[in-house]
Amino acid sequence: MIAFQYIDNQAALDALVAQYNEAELLVLDTEFVRTRTYYARLGLIQAYDGKHLALIDPLAVNDLSGFWALLTNPAITKLVHSCSEDLEVFANYGKCQPAPLFDSQIAAALCGWGHGLGYAKLVEQQLSISLDKGESRTDWLKRPLSAAQLQYAANDVYYLYQLYPALKAEVERQGRMDWVLEEGARLTAGRLDRPCGDMAYLKVKNAFQLTPKQLAILKVLAKWRLEKALSRDLALGFVIKDHGLIALCRKPPQNIGQLMRMNELTEQEKRIHGKELLEVMVTADVNNPPPAVDVLALRPGYKASFKVVKALLTAICDTHQVPEELLASKRHIHDFLQWHLDAQQGDLPLLLTGWRGALAAIPLQTLELSI
């Protein structure tokens, strides 16, 4: 049994924060629930500095500001594992991002232990301990939490602390600590920015198929949907699904009767949003539509250029023992080709910056691409 302190009052949290402020390393994890909401709903925070393992109840403690301040203390390294969703929680609830950030999943990949390792797999591989996954589907908003659920939560930070010394030593031996911290900073970048309503239409599936006039309608609809989702804390699809927005743009209804006959919208979508949808659609500036959604992958020469870049990056990965998923992912190559097509204007693509750029920038920029 792992010993922990359950923090459910302000005095206990304040005392804990004072202790953690003296730490050099703080292991972090969160438990949350996400069903219909835009943002995950925080149910529990786990933290461990090697001396004090705490399970913090955010439903019981009203003021977490002291704890959130720990996350930006530059003297404390924050240790996490596969932290993307945790970072979303920190941004939404704490309005902050942890720094400096050491993600053990990324570190394990960069030092050759394996790419994309789950926490339980990494613990089993390095510590020969098999973790119980039986509480993974817990409703973390329900109270009280059982002893088994609390132990499950404690495990997530306790064993990660045990993993850290060997993982850190191997990363440092290979001279890649700066790489790990760079990846941590990249993961947190932009997390505090509010989603941009004017650009929301670019994330709607099949937006590229629309005409300029239809795209102008989609722009105002997608912005409206995002604002509605944020104000009501609903996942986008629980406001209106993508295919419903596309249908409205392709054949815009002129009145509520036409809208009510659309099969692409659910009865609930029609009933709740029908009138408002019509009001939003007439605000579209069809005479000044947004730029067409350029699908780079459909352009002549894209596939051939992609293969050339992929082959080069694969060779670099083999030489430097770097997982292809971190250096030669489809997204990274696509962004590089987009930058190349845009006459090398705008922000540098990821492949030309940081540790990736140190490995790949010179050979990439000597390539002759046909796109």
Side-chain angles (χ1 to χ4, degrees):
M1 296 287 287
I2 295 170
F4 61 83
Q5 183 181 4
Y6 190 81
I7 306 294
D8 60 359
N9 64 81
Q10 196 66 52
L13 179 66
D14 293 344
L16 180 73
V17 167
Q19 293 167 333
Y20 282 166
N21 265 314
E22 303 301 317
E24 295 182 0
L25 177 72
L26 185 62
V27 189
L28 297 168
D29 192 27
T30 64
E31 304 295 347
F32 51 83
V33 174
R34 187 201 298 275
T35 51
R36 295 171 55 92
T37 56
Y38 188 90
Y39 294 112
R41 299 180 65 190
L42 179 60
L44 197 68
I45 303 170
Q46 303 102 289
Y48 185 38
D49 66 350
K51 299 177 182 177
H52 313 97
L53 198 160
L55 305 182
I56 303 169
D57 186 347
L59 306 185
V61 183
N62 292 324
D63 183 8
L64 292 168
S65 58
F67 180 81
W68 299 132
L70 287 170
L71 272 60
T72 57
N73 185 335
I76 306 173
T77 297
K78 271 63 71 171
L79 174 61
V80 294
H81 185 86
S82 186
C83 64
S84 181
E85 291 180 302
D86 300 307
L87 296 181
E88 179 187 324
V89 168
F90 297 148
N92 184 35
Y93 284 88
K95 311 304 178 190
C96 65
Q97 288 290 274
L101 183 69
F102 185 108
D103 188 316
S104 54
Q105 186 180 67
I106 292 173
L110 285 173
C111 74
W113 288 6
H115 177 75
L117 290 175
Y119 175 64
K121 181 66 176 178
L122 186 59
V123 169
E124 183 177 11
Q125 174 182 298
Q126 297 299 319
L127 302 179
S128 300
I129 295 171
S130 181
L131 296 179
D132 182 7
K133 302 178 183 179
E135 304 298 333
S136 60
R137 296 186 180 277
T138 288
D139 178 357
W140 295 102
L141 300 175
K142 190 176 181 179
R143 295 294 185 270
L145 294 169
S146 70
Q149 290 165 341
L150 295 173
Q151 276 295 312
Y152 171 90
N155 286 346
D156 284 346
V157 289
Y158 179 80
Y159 292 109
L160 190 51
Y161 186 90
Q162 317 308 318
L163 283 167
Y164 182 69
L167 183 54
K168 178 182 180 227
E170 183 59 20
V171 168
E172 289 178 335
R173 187 187 71 79
Q174 297 191 31
R176 295 183 175 182
M177 179 58 78
D178 287 346
W179 295 17
V180 175
L181 297 179
E182 178 188 319
E183 288 300 285
R186 184 177 68 83
L187 286 171
T188 62
R191 293 271 180 179
L192 301 183
D193 298 341
R194 182 178 173 84
C196 180
D198 287 333
M199 296 292 105
Y201 74 99
L202 295 172
K203 297 183 179 182
V204 178
K205 186 177 180 181
N206 294 327
F208 74 94
Q209 296 176 354
L210 299 183
T211 66
K213 179 179 178 180
Q214 293 169 347
L215 204 58
I217 298 172
L218 180 64
K219 182 176 180 179
V220 296
L221 284 175
K223 182 177 182 178
W224 167 85
R225 182 179 68 166
L226 175 60
E227 291 173 349
K228 185 71 68 175
L230 290 172
S231 66
R232 297 178 58 192
D233 193 18
L234 276 178
L236 292 175
F238 285 103
V239 180
I240 288 185
K241 293 180 172 56
D242 279 6
H243 72 267
L245 293 184
I246 295 294
L248 286 165
C249 298
R250 282 180 169 154
K251 196 172 182 179
Q254 301 303 305
N255 52 58
I256 195 67
Q258 291 181 9
L259 185 144
M260 295 300 288
R261 290 192 291 272
M262 292 184 65
N263 294 326
E264 295 87 353
L265 299 179
T266 67
E267 293 305 313
Q268 180 173 308
E269 290 169 348
K270 297 173 190 176
R271 176 173 50 83
I272 297 176
H273 304 302
K275 183 179 178 181
E276 195 171 357
L277 286 169
L278 293 174
E279 293 171 351
V280 170
M281 292 172 70
V282 299
T283 68
D285 188 355
V286 296
N287 295 317
N288 295 287
V293 180
D294 180 20
V295 182
L296 180 64
L298 299 180
R299 283 178 173 258
Y302 177 84
K303 289 185 178 179
S305 295
F306 188 97
K307 288 181 180 178
V308 170
V309 175
K310 178 72 172 178
L312 172 65
L313 294 177
T314 296
I316 292 173
C317 289
D318 289 343
T319 299
H320 295 279
Q321 295 299 294
V322 175
E324 286 191 37
E325 294 87 350
L326 290 180
L327 182 66
S329 74
K330 183 177 180 180
R331 181 77 248 175
H332 294 160
I333 296 173
H334 179 89
D335 288 346
F336 170 75
L337 291 174
Q338 183 70 65
W339 176 80
H340 182 83
L341 182 66
D342 292 340
Q344 303 184 4
Q345 300 297 311
D347 295 338
L348 287 175
L350 197 61
L351 283 172
L352 301 183
T353 65
W355 67 266
R356 292 178 179 84
L359 299 181
I362 293 176
L364 277 174
Q365 294 188 81
T366 60
L367 289 177
E368 294 186 9
L369 302 174
S370 59
I371 192 170

